[in-house]
Amino acid sequence: MKPDPHSFAVQKRTQPYSETRCWQLDSAAGSFPGQRYSPEDQRSIDEAAAILAGGGTVAFPTETVYGLGADARNTAAVEAVFAAKGRPSDNPLIVHIAAPGQLEEFAAGVSETAGLLMKAFWPGPLSIVLPVRPGVLSPRVTAGLDTVAVRMPDHPAALALLERAGCPVAAPSANRSGRPSPTTAAHVIEDLAGYIGGVLDGGPTGVGVESTVVQVLPDGTVAVLRPGGITAEQLSAVTGTAAAPPPPEAGGAGHAAGGGNPAPRSPGMKYTHYAPQGSLSIVSGMSPQCVADKASALLLEARGRSEQTGLLLFEEHRAFYPEAAADHIVSLGSLHALEEAARALYSALRYFDEVKAGYIIAEACPESGLGSAIMNRLRKAAGGTVISAEK
């Protein structure tokens, strides 16, 4: 089973880039409050910011994944992002800002609850859907909706770039549409070299999965449109009420009203995302042994078809599998430290591409805390294929 046609859409060059520049930053610089980048790194940031301010595209590190940025007010620049990624145009983009004060330019209002969330989690991996001022941002950013998702990233290079560029920056993940999101600059170059102006290399990202996207509903309830780096439990601790769970994969609270095929309020709610090139299935069951038995049987069948196989497991479960259960086995770390799994997930999926694994099995994990985001990404990568170990 291959990813659907949306997974690896055709990329286009809309800007005359003969090459994609790469600026490697000192990973230690800017890591502490008040610490400044070296003059050489500051020049790199200034050059990247000048490309953004001039209508170009630049990839940059955030605490979650690398983003591909463009001036959110400039439709031609935003269209270059869609073209470089091969991204469907009805998928809205998240706008990144360097300081909350920038919201006054394009947000029509901030509710009390939204303000509490900003105070608690900005800078950080939380995107908040807000009403948008008409005519300020490109309609390609909002997909024609009356709202826009905004966040303030918690990465010194991102904040320095955004401040220097002096504009709100629309930035989806810096990967070819459908592929696993990039957590290193090398991933960006692999997917987008020749299609974008440059990449700020700030080293590996920390969180590893995209931001949580929320919308405050009229009754004050916080609806989670996409799980991510901020958990539902963390949101509830701030608001005092339970966060509404993510909507179903096709449709739900995150979509605009109306019939047909409406635009989603948040990125990551439509199409197959994060997919390796091979077939990926998730195996879920009541016990680790049941999961291992089912996964091992499926992998054995695939090897009988002469397919290269891959297994994505949690370290505690390794002993439940026969030796060499798959041609390529990758551990996501401990089930008791899911932040490790979040950081490792996309690199693991890209590794399976490198070794040309055609049939891949991933273990499910509990959907609490960061497990909600991990399972959301795995289901997207698997095109929704979840196999029960109980059958």
Side-chain angles (χ1 to χ4, degrees):
M1 184 181 68
K2 295 294 183 183
D4 66 44
H6 291 293
S7 297
F8 306 112
V10 176
Q11 297 169 283
K12 298 179 181 178
R13 290 178 174 85
T14 59
Q15 295 175 327
Y17 296 129
S18 58
E19 63 177 358
T20 294
R21 297 194 60 182
C22 185
W23 303 275
Q24 188 164 6
L25 302 177
D26 179 354
S27 60
S31 300
F32 304 100
Q35 186 176 5
R36 299 180 64 85
Y37 280 101
S38 67
E40 182 180 355
D41 281 351
Q42 191 58 58
R43 281 193 296 272
S44 296
I45 291 169
D46 290 347
E47 289 174 9
I51 291 177
L52 283 177
T57 52
V58 171
F60 59 94
T62 75
E63 79 281 23
T64 57
V65 299
Y66 275 72
L68 176 57
D71 185 342
R73 305 165 302 184
N74 184 330
T75 293
V78 174
E79 286 177 343
V81 168
F82 282 99
K85 286 175 59 70
R87 181 184 175 97
S89 60
D90 66 343
N91 218 356
L93 306 181
I94 293 173
V95 172
H96 294 62
I97 58 176
Q102 288 182 264
L103 288 173
E104 296 178 5
E105 177 187 349
F106 59 87
V110 176
S111 68
E112 180 180 356
T113 300
L116 288 174
L117 295 175
M118 292 173 191
K119 184 176 181 180
F121 299 115
W122 281 10
L126 180 69
S127 298
I128 304 175
V129 174
L130 300 170
V132 67
R133 291 185 186 277
V136 179
L137 301 180
S138 167
R140 300 301 297 274
V141 171
T142 62
L145 298 171
D146 58 359
T147 57
V148 62
V150 190
R151 87 178 187 100
M152 181 180 172
D154 188 14
H155 192 288
L159 292 173
L161 175 67
L162 294 169
E163 182 178 7
R164 188 63 175 160
C167 61
V169 172
S173 55
N175 57 293
R176 186 177 181 183
S177 187
R179 292 215 67 205
S181 298
T183 54
T184 68
H187 294 162
V188 179
I189 294 296
E190 179 184 359
D191 282 6
L192 301 180
Y195 292 92
I196 63 175
V199 183
L200 273 179
D201 183 353
T205 61
V207 177
V209 293
E210 293 83 356
S211 63
T212 301
V213 182
V214 301
Q215 183 172 19
V216 179
L217 303 180
D219 65 358
T221 301
V222 175
V224 177
L225 305 186
R226 182 184 72 183
I230 298 297
T231 68
E233 294 83 354
Q234 289 175 295
L235 295 169
S236 297
V238 170
T239 64
T241 59
E249 295 293 328
H255 289 70
N261 190 25
R265 293 280 178 188
S266 162
M269 296 178 66
K270 294 180 72 174
Y271 313 116
T272 297
H273 288 274
Y274 324 117
Q277 294 174 356
S279 167
L280 172 66
S281 299
I282 305 165
V283 174
S284 176
M286 294 296 293
S287 74
Q289 188 65 69
C290 286
V291 170
D293 290 346
K294 183 68 172 181
S296 298
L298 292 168
L299 290 164
L300 186 61
E301 290 177 9
R303 295 177 87 172
R305 299 190 297 267
S306 299
E307 293 192 71
Q308 281 284 308
T309 56
L311 173 62
L312 198 57
L313 52 67
F314 290 92
E315 194 58 38
E316 294 93 333
H317 301 161
R318 192 185 287 270
F320 293 107
Y321 289 86
E323 187 175 353
D327 296 306
H328 307 281
I329 299 175
V330 178
S331 171
L332 287 177
S334 172
L335 267 175
H336 303 293
L338 288 179
E339 63 276 7
E340 297 176 10
R343 280 194 296 269
L345 178 60
Y346 292 142
S347 289
L349 295 178
R350 284 178 176 266
Y351 169 75
F352 289 131
D353 284 351
E354 293 173 14
V355 297
K356 302 187 185 311
Y359 186 84
I360 307 160
I361 292 292
E363 291 186 338
C365 70
E367 296 196 49
S368 58
L370 269 178
S372 177
I374 292 166
M375 284 301 296
N376 172 271
R377 303 317 191 267
L378 278 175
R379 276 194 296 267
K380 286 286 189 180
T385 302
V386 181
I387 299 169
S388 173
E390 313 303 325
K391 296 180 181 179

